[in-house]
Amino acid sequence: MTDQAILVTGAAGFIGFHVARQLLAEGRTVVGLDNLNSYYDPALKQARLDLLRAESRFSFVKADLADRGATAALFARHRFAKVVHLAAQAGVRFSIEQPQAYADSNLQGFLNVLEGCRHNGCRHLVYASSSSVYGANTKLPFAVQDRTDHPVSFYAATKKANEVMAQSYSHLYRLPVTGLRFFTIYGPWGRPDMALFLFANAILAGEPIRLFNHGRMRRDFTYIDDVTRVVSKLVDRVPADDPAAANAPSKVYNVGNHHPEELMHVVGLLEQELGRTAVKQLLPMQPGDVLETFADVEDLMRDTGFAPSTPIAHGVRNFVTWYRDYFKV
Ligand SMILES: NC(=O)c1ccc[n+]([C@@H]2O[C@H](COP(=O)([O-])OP(=O)(O)OC[C@H]3O[C@@H](n4cnc5c(N)ncnc54)[C@H](O)[C@@H]3O)[C@@H](O)[C@H]2O)c1
């Protein structure tokens, strides 16, 4: 027997928390897994978990996916029919300092999830990839069919590796897999290492915000509620055999807003919402960074009838409202 519960890995993380909450709101049962690591303040992860734990259909497992035995035991115990795998070591910049953390969570951990799915009758694995797989591509918007074999960070390399690892398991074991290339997700309960959060911290502290490439960057900022909607639709949509993917039930989608924003415009919106002016420190381009991201979401629209579209001004306002409430500022 397979378990009716959906496994959401990285459930104490930004996207995993919101996805778990959405699935619970739809009446589903969720097992959330996380190792609660201290890449950023674990108190924020605990606070997210506290909200999830208030739901009777939620249970939590603290485990490290890089632990082969623990992961195999969990999958054998539950035999999850559906798995949403969002746990990973995220962050482009940190991958330059600590590549081993990425190998452990994103390569070994990912393989352990694939093995768990393979041996226990999983009928659909949805997993997080990233827009960073497009590297320094200049053809815009980024389309799923474009080349993605020139990553400019080790983080991106691990995300590309995940896509090809998933493809091989889909082909070999007929495991249905759906990969989601997320484009700069932001919103309430967001990630403290990402630009919007760092900027809000600095602006309120009167400290300079660091703008790389002198602020000349564009990002396809994607609001979290749009992402949870995409995941909730796709979790029930098992991909068909794809002739372009060795006839495997395997699919990759861009999950982006299809609307790149100038970084300076986003800073302006933050200043407006916070009622303070940012001290801007203009810096050169950083290794691993890309100039622009822009998602082609045609496939997503065609297959789900939905694509993210929350305007940035609305999303930034909601982020600031949450930030003020959470930090009492
Ligand atoms: N937020 C974005 O803009 C964005 C963009 C592209 C891709 N992604 C991907 O989406 C997924 C979710 O990202 P997020 O922004 O919520 O990040 P996050 O860091 O907030 O969440 C990831 C969670 O996974 C957990 N985790 C990490 N390694 C683990 C392991 N070995 N075992 C168990 N748990 C582990 C962490 O403790 C964390 O709570 C990640 O795969 C990330 O690479 C995110």
Side-chain angles (χ1 to χ4, degrees):
M1 263 292 282
T2 48
D3 200 319
Q4 286 311 303
I6 299 180
L7 174 65
V8 177
T9 73
F14 168 40
I15 302 176
F17 157 70
H18 282 282
V19 165
R21 217 156 63 148
Q22 173 65 31
L23 296 174
L24 289 163
E26 291 169 9
R28 308 195 205 213
T29 302
V30 173
V31 174
L33 176 145
D34 206 292
N35 68 357
L36 301 176
N37 69 50
S38 52
Y39 168 61
Y40 60 78
D41 187 2
L44 178 58
K45 298 183 183 184
Q46 275 300 348
R48 295 178 184 132
L49 263 188
D50 289 345
L51 286 182
L52 294 177
R53 280 184 159 135
E55 298 283 338
S56 60
R57 276 173 285 100
F58 180 78
S59 55
F60 180 65
V61 179
K62 182 171 188 275
D64 191 331
L65 290 170
D67 179 337
R68 198 195 301 184
T71 307
L74 177 78
F75 274 83
R77 188 159 64 248
H78 288 275
R79 297 184 61 80
F80 301 105
K82 290 175 184 172
V83 174
V84 181
H85 176 42
L86 301 168
Q89 179 56 55
V92 165
R93 286 165 199 164
F94 189 60
S95 75
I96 292 166
E97 291 159 37
Q98 293 280 344
Q100 293 295 351
Y102 293 74
D104 294 344
S105 290
N106 303 8
L107 300 178
Q108 187 62 52
F110 196 86
L111 176 59
N112 292 341
V113 169
L114 286 174
E115 280 284 279
C117 289
R118 166 194 172 191
H119 290 294
N120 297 288
C122 174
R123 294 198 295 269
H124 194 192
L125 168 65
V126 177
Y127 66 93
S129 181
S130 162
S131 62
S132 65
V133 301
Y134 292 107
N137 285 9
T138 51
K139 175 192 150 286
L140 296 165
F142 295 157
V144 170
Q145 300 73 25
D146 295 344
R147 286 188 72 166
T148 52
D149 43 10
H150 300 110
V152 297
S153 68
F154 188 66
Y155 166 68
T158 65
K159 288 289 163 180
K160 177 63 190 176
N162 291 166
E163 292 184 4
V164 291
M165 290 161 80
Q167 164 64 30
S168 74
Y169 268 59
S170 182
H171 173 73
L172 288 169
Y173 310 113
R174 300 208 48 75
L175 171 66
V177 294
T178 300
L180 306 177
R181 292 179 179 167
F182 291 139
F183 282 66
T184 316
I185 316 303
Y186 75 103
W189 297 98
R191 239 172 63 205
D193 63 320
M194 291 184 69
L196 213 58
F197 214 116
L198 293 170
F199 291 171
N201 291 343
I203 292 172
L204 287 172
E207 287 166 5
I209 60 168
R210 301 194 309 154
L211 295 162
F212 297 100
N213 200 39
H214 306 276
R216 289 189 298 270
M217 295 237 200
R218 284 155 66 88
R219 286 288 179 278
D220 202 344
F221 281 92
T222 308
Y223 190 60
I224 185 66
D225 289 2
D226 289 334
V227 175
T228 56
R229 197 156 158 200
V230 166
V231 175
S232 125
K233 280 173 175 286
L234 283 173
V235 86
D236 294 324
R237 194 177 196 285
V238 171
D241 291 357
D242 183 355
N247 272 326
S250 162
K251 184 82 189 155
V252 172
Y253 292 100
N254 282 338
V255 180
N257 217 44
H258 190 65
H259 196 286
E261 305 289 346
E262 293 285 349
L263 197 56
M264 287 299 197
H265 173 60
V266 179
V267 171
L269 290 172
L270 253 187
E271 290 177 322
Q272 205 176 303
E273 291 300 329
L274 291 169
R276 302 244 188 129
T277 305
V279 182
K280 301 181 183 81
Q281 187 181 11
L282 304 179
L283 295 165
M285 189 76 174
Q286 286 207 116
D289 248 350
V290 301
L291 284 176
E292 174 162 8
T293 65
F294 182 4
D296 177 329
V297 289
E298 231 173 77
D299 288 8
L300 187 66
M301 194 51 155
R302 186 196 58 225
D303 291 354
T304 67
F306 175 78
S309 65
T310 300
I312 185 79
H314 179 81
V316 168
R317 183 168 311 133
N318 288 353
F319 167 71
V320 170
T321 302
W322 167 80
Y323 184 102
R324 285 190 183 286
D325 181 54
Y326 182 77
F327 290 107
K328 309 271 177 280
V329 284

